[in-house]
Amino acid sequence: MNETDYLLSSENNAKRLRESIEQLKAGKAETHELIRNPKPMPRFLDIEASSLSMESYPIEIAWSDPEGNIEGHLIDPCAIEEWTDWDYNAQQIHGLSREQCRDEGVPPEWLCQRMSESIPAGEIVYADGGGFDESWIDVLFSVSPVFDRAPFRVAHSDTLMLTLLQKVEPDARKCWDLFDTLRVKARESVEGRHRAGVDVQYLIELWRLCIDQSASP
């Protein structure tokens, strides 16, 4: 779920996300070592969830590897007794029913194992849901009998992108305007939205645009 307006609709997380955005606008984004050596490609992640409530849980996760390949899975919510939360307004956005997730989804415990095999321990994975995606990863790994927590880290992708763009546009407001333009262009390059795999592809395309922009004279 990667649209800022939709994320801000949750009162519980709105303040945290607004503060993150304000820090990015003010040019206070953390500079990552990865920025100085942008290849291989960072890993990106996106999650669709049952809702934006405190009882929500992930129902679809996709992530990319350093070559830009994307792996994604629906998650069976019926495998976990406590996972009863469901928001039909969210269903209208992502188009996934609880029944489809039940019938086509993988067990949460299996997905924890698969992600731990696919993503190296300690790696940063970038998601534009910020604290939402980080929380949903915590929820996912909390049901695993093997892991106490995810072996990788989730960070806000805006921090990564804006640090790149600040190389060519140090003015914070102009940098943010440039970022908005590139986000529109990246979104136009992919078909669909609000599905995890599609939204990971969008982040990959946005990163490529930011890399190209940062390399401009």
Side-chain angles (χ1 to χ4, degrees):
M1 295 183 179
N2 63 25
E3 297 303 308
T4 299
D5 290 341
Y6 181 46
L7 291 174
L8 289 175
S9 67
S10 169
E11 294 182 1
N12 292 323
N13 293 281
K15 182 178 179 181
R16 178 168 54 182
L17 186 56
R18 288 193 187 99
E19 288 175 349
S20 174
I21 291 173
E22 289 304 315
Q23 287 180 346
L24 292 167
K25 286 183 177 179
K28 297 178 181 179
E30 177 186 357
T31 300
H32 294 280
E33 181 66 28
L34 186 59
I35 296 298
R36 293 188 284 273
N37 183 22
K39 295 183 180 180
M41 182 185 299
R43 295 176 189 270
F44 296 103
L45 175 144
D46 190 78
I47 298 175
E48 301 301 325
S50 62
S51 75
L52 292 178
S53 75
M54 296 297 290
E55 291 75 36
S56 65
Y57 49 84
I59 59 172
E60 184 182 42
I61 297 180
W63 66 94
S64 61
D65 67 15
E67 286 72 47
N69 302 306
I70 299 172
E71 179 174 348
H73 300 277
L74 292 179
I75 304 170
D76 176 11
C78 298
I80 305 299
E81 184 177 354
E82 294 78 15
W83 285 11
T84 58
D85 170 77
W86 194 264
D87 182 355
Y88 287 96
N89 291 320
Q91 180 175 323
Q92 291 299 311
I93 293 173
H94 52 60
L96 295 168
S97 69
R98 185 174 169 87
E99 290 73 24
Q100 181 182 355
C101 294
R102 177 197 63 201
D103 295 342
E104 302 176 16
V106 300
E109 297 92 335
W110 180 90
L111 186 55
C112 292
Q113 183 65 43
R114 176 63 196 136
M115 295 187 78
S116 70
E117 293 170 351
S118 175
I119 304 172
E123 188 111 354
I124 298 175
V125 185
Y126 293 94
D128 66 355
F132 285 87
D133 291 326
E134 185 176 8
S135 295
W136 287 322
I137 287 294
D138 289 343
V139 170
L140 175 66
F141 276 82
S142 71
V143 304
S144 170
V146 178
F147 301 94
D148 293 330
R149 61 181 63 85
F152 52 86
R153 293 171 51 202
V154 178
H156 203 303
S157 59
D158 283 5
T159 301
L160 177 73
M161 312 292 188
L162 286 170
T163 305
L164 281 168
L165 296 180
Q166 284 169 350
K167 290 181 176 182
V168 294
E169 184 47 80
D171 181 274
R173 184 177 296 276
K174 291 180 180 179
C175 183
W176 192 262
D177 290 342
L178 174 59
F179 187 42
D180 280 341
T181 299
L182 295 180
R183 285 195 291 189
V184 171
K185 188 174 181 179
R187 182 55 73 184
E188 290 173 347
S189 71
V190 299
E191 294 186 8
R193 62 199 314 170
H194 299 306
R195 288 296 302 271
V198 173
D199 289 342
V200 169
Q201 187 64 54
Y202 156 76
L203 289 174
I204 290 173
E205 298 305 322
L206 179 57
W207 179 81
R208 287 171 172 161
L209 289 172
C210 291
I211 285 288
D212 290 345
Q213 191 71 39
S214 69
S216 301

